[in-house]
């Protein structure tokens, strides 16, 4: 147990994110095209200083994902690769 008392899990695409709420962390595990299409919604739902974790796409898709994140103000923090699949961490600045 990690003593987190305020965790909310939602199943679905970015349309399940309430427009009036923001989150410290968002995790999205789905294909490249959906991640790209929903990038503005992820950024809008992320608090300043928040973290977006993305996975479900190939190593060859990373430049496109990184560019889309940069266009909405998110910076790449870290990536992990396994069998050409990528998990990437992006951050929203405090400013």
């Amino acid at each position: 147990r990690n003593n987190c008392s305020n965790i909310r899990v939602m199943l679905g695409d970015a349309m399940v994110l309430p427009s009036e709420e923001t989150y410290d962390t968002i995790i999205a595990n789905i294909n490249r095209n959906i991640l790209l299409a929903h990038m503005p919604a992820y950024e809008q739902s992320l608090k300043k200083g928040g973290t977006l974790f993305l996975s479900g796409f190939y190593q060859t898709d990373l430049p496109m994902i990184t560019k889309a994140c940069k266009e909405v103000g998110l910076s790449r923090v870290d990536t992990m690769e396994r069998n050409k699949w990528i998990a990437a961490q992006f951050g929203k600045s405090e400013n």
Side-chain angles (χ1 to χ4, degrees), residues 19-57:
S19 61
E20 69 281 352
E21 293 184 38
T22 57
Y23 302 91
D24 295 315
T25 303
I26 297 173
I27 301 170
N29 179 22
I30 199 158
N31 71 57
R32 176 197 72 192
N33 292 335
I34 294 174
L35 292 173
L36 291 172
H38 293 158
M39 200 63 67
Y42 298 140
E43 186 280 329
Q44 193 171 30
S45 295
L46 201 59
K47 288 182 180 178
K48 290 181 180 182
T51 302
L52 174 64
F53 292 98
L54 303 175
S55 61
F57 59 95

Side-chain angles (χ1 to χ4, degrees), residues 50-89:
T51 302
L52 174 64
F53 292 98
L54 303 175
S55 61
F57 59 95
Y58 293 109
Q59 178 184 27
T60 55
D61 299 324
L62 184 59
M64 192 180 306
I65 295 284
T66 300
K67 181 180 181 229
C69 285
K70 186 175 181 180
E71 288 172 356
V72 297
L74 302 174
S75 301
R76 191 168 77 196
V77 175
D78 199 8
T79 58
M80 292 179 59
E81 178 191 345
R82 179 185 275 171
N83 300 324
K84 298 185 182 180
W85 288 95
I86 294 289
Q89 176 184 354

